[in-house]
Amino acid sequence: MSFLISPSIEVFRWSLQPIPPFTWFGSPLNTLDVLGAVRLCLILRQLREQFYRQHVAKNGFIGVERKSFVKSLAITLTVVCGGEAVAAPMLGIPPSYMISGVVVGLFGIIQAVIDAFPVVPDITAQLELPLSILDGFTRAFLLCDLIPPTVTAHTSPNISNSPWSLLVTSLLMANSGFFFVNMFSMLAPTPFALTTPTELQANGWTTADLWCAPTITALYAFLTHAQPFWADLHALIVTLLGGASSAKTVEAVDPETARAVCALLLCGLFIGRTVKNFDLWKSFIKPQPKVEKSKVP
């Protein structure tokens, strides 16, 4: 695994360096932030156009609203800020978008540029496969670097040392935005309408984006000993497996390595999801030739 972990660590080191022109204004935005914003704004436009074509093919232009950049931006910011809007009040901390408008401005500019394009590529396997790797790295950055400190650095020991608070915060911050988008049918070309979001429908709990957030955050906390509970759990498991004679000999994995491991797992998960969604696995299965049974005289 080291031949994959080491390059992943270097990718993070390179992509997390602040880049111009943002550094000219004292902003720490980096390459991964920009690529993640472009990916999100692009997929949201692709989904809006896909829902538009499906609605027109089924119902014609009945109920279709005129395209609005303000609506597009509202959907994007709901996805970006929705998680913090839900979790921050529960933690008693101000959301980051109330302190600085840099991220909001970044997504607004990128959304305006993407909406200005006459056309964008459709959602295809050829496009989604490489982007699944980008999704793995951006999601690992969110679940390992951005979300855990909101809990582990909290001023209240009851929250900072609580593994439950960490997992619930990860679940809410990573999924609440799309939950609201689905609940109000924001991507449909028709007016907003209340509906049951995908996550609450039958088998909705199997959605990869839903359960991977707390799972990956838990793995990162387990490897890095982000809280006493995870350090004790790590020591217990290693001791039970006979890997250490005492809990004191179990050391935490350095954060860069742990983040790289999480990124690789997420890349594999998202690539597998793409293969499943587009039935790419069928291309690897050769159909068996039919053998005609000979008639016995």
Side-chain angles (χ1 to χ4, degrees), residues 258-270:
R259 182 179 58 195
V261 170
C262 293
L264 292 174
L265 290 175
L266 286 168
C267 288
L269 173 65
F270 294 146

Side-chain angles (χ1 to χ4, degrees), residues 102-200:
V102 173
V103 173
V104 174
L106 173 67
F107 278 91
I109 293 171
I110 292 178
Q111 189 66 67
V113 172
I114 289 180
D115 280 6
F117 290 155
V119 293
V120 293
D122 293 333
I123 301 176
T124 61
Q126 292 77 8
L127 183 63
E128 286 299 307
L129 268 178
L131 289 178
S132 296
I133 299 176
L134 173 62
D135 290 342
F137 279 87
T138 55
R139 193 67 59 87
F141 179 52
L142 172 67
L143 300 177
C144 300
D145 286 74
L146 300 182
I147 293 179
T150 61
V151 175
T152 58
H154 201 279
T155 55
S156 171
N158 292 332
I159 293 179
S160 62
N161 295 326
S162 170
W164 178 251
S165 296
L166 181 64
L167 299 184
V168 171
T169 300
S170 178
L171 177 67
L172 293 177
M173 281 196 171
N175 295 292
S176 294
F178 268 111
F179 183 86
F180 290 132
V181 168
N182 292 331
M183 184 169 65
F184 293 105
S185 305
M186 292 184 176
L187 295 172
T190 53
F192 291 169
L194 190 63
T195 186
T196 304
T198 308
E199 295 83 354
L200 298 183

Side-chain angles (χ1 to χ4, degrees), residues 12-282:
F12 274 116
R13 287 176 178 174
W14 168 77
S15 61
L16 293 179
Q17 292 293 324
I19 57 174
F22 308 109
T23 52
W24 303 344
F25 306 99
S27 173
L29 290 176
N30 51 61
T31 304
L32 203 59
D33 289 326
V34 175
L35 292 178
V38 172
R39 164 62 166 161
L40 177 62
C41 294
L42 175 61
I43 190 65
L44 287 176
R45 176 171 173 182
Q46 290 173 319
L47 289 172
R48 289 197 306 270
E49 295 191 351
Q50 178 176 295
F51 283 121
Y52 175 83
R53 291 193 296 267
Q54 292 174 352
H55 178 84
V56 171
K58 184 178 180 181
N59 305 308
F61 295 95
I62 300 175
V64 174
E65 294 183 322
R66 293 178 58 187
K67 292 184 179 180
S68 166
F69 168 70
V70 176
K71 181 179 180 181
S72 300
L73 181 60
I75 295 172
T76 301
L77 295 183
T78 298
V79 175
V80 175
C81 304
E84 275 195 284
V86 173
M90 297 182 182
L91 296 173
I93 57 176
S96 61
Y97 57 82
M98 294 297 294
I99 299 174
S100 172
V102 173
V103 173
V104 174
L106 173 67
F107 278 91
I109 293 171
I110 292 178
Q111 189 66 67
V113 172
I114 289 180
D115 280 6
F117 290 155
V119 293
V120 293
D122 293 333
I123 301 176
T124 61
Q126 292 77 8
L127 183 63
E128 286 299 307
L129 268 178
L131 289 178
S132 296
I133 299 176
L134 173 62
D135 290 342
F137 279 87
T138 55
R139 193 67 59 87
F141 179 52
L142 172 67
L143 300 177
C144 300
D145 286 74
L146 300 182
I147 293 179
T150 61
V151 175
T152 58
H154 201 279
T155 55
S156 171
N158 292 332
I159 293 179
S160 62
N161 295 326
S162 170
W164 178 251
S165 296
L166 181 64
L167 299 184
V168 171
T169 300
S170 178
L171 177 67
L172 293 177
M173 281 196 171
N175 295 292
S176 294
F178 268 111
F179 183 86
F180 290 132
V181 168
N182 292 331
M183 184 169 65
F184 293 105
S185 305
M186 292 184 176
L187 295 172
T190 53
F192 291 169
L194 190 63
T195 186
T196 304
T198 308
E199 295 83 354
L200 298 183
Q201 295 179 11
N203 298 321
W205 63 272
T206 62
T207 306
D209 296 276
L210 185 65
W211 58 262
C212 79
T215 302
I216 293 298
T217 298
L219 175 62
Y220 179 78
F222 173 81
L223 294 175
T224 60
H225 299 179
Q227 294 171 316
F229 169 83
W230 303 107
D232 294 341
L233 180 62
H234 192 180
L236 175 62
I237 292 177
V238 171
T239 302
L240 291 176
L241 295 176
S245 57
S246 65
K248 293 182 179 179
T249 61
V250 180
E251 297 182 357
V253 178
D254 70 275
E256 285 190 330
T257 302
R259 182 179 58 195
V261 170
C262 293
L264 292 174
L265 290 175
L266 286 168
C267 288
L269 173 65
F270 294 146
I271 289 174
R273 180 178 64 182
T274 300
V275 170
K276 175 180 177 294
N277 291 342
F278 291 94
D279 291 332
L280 298 181
W281 57 273
K282 292 183 179 179

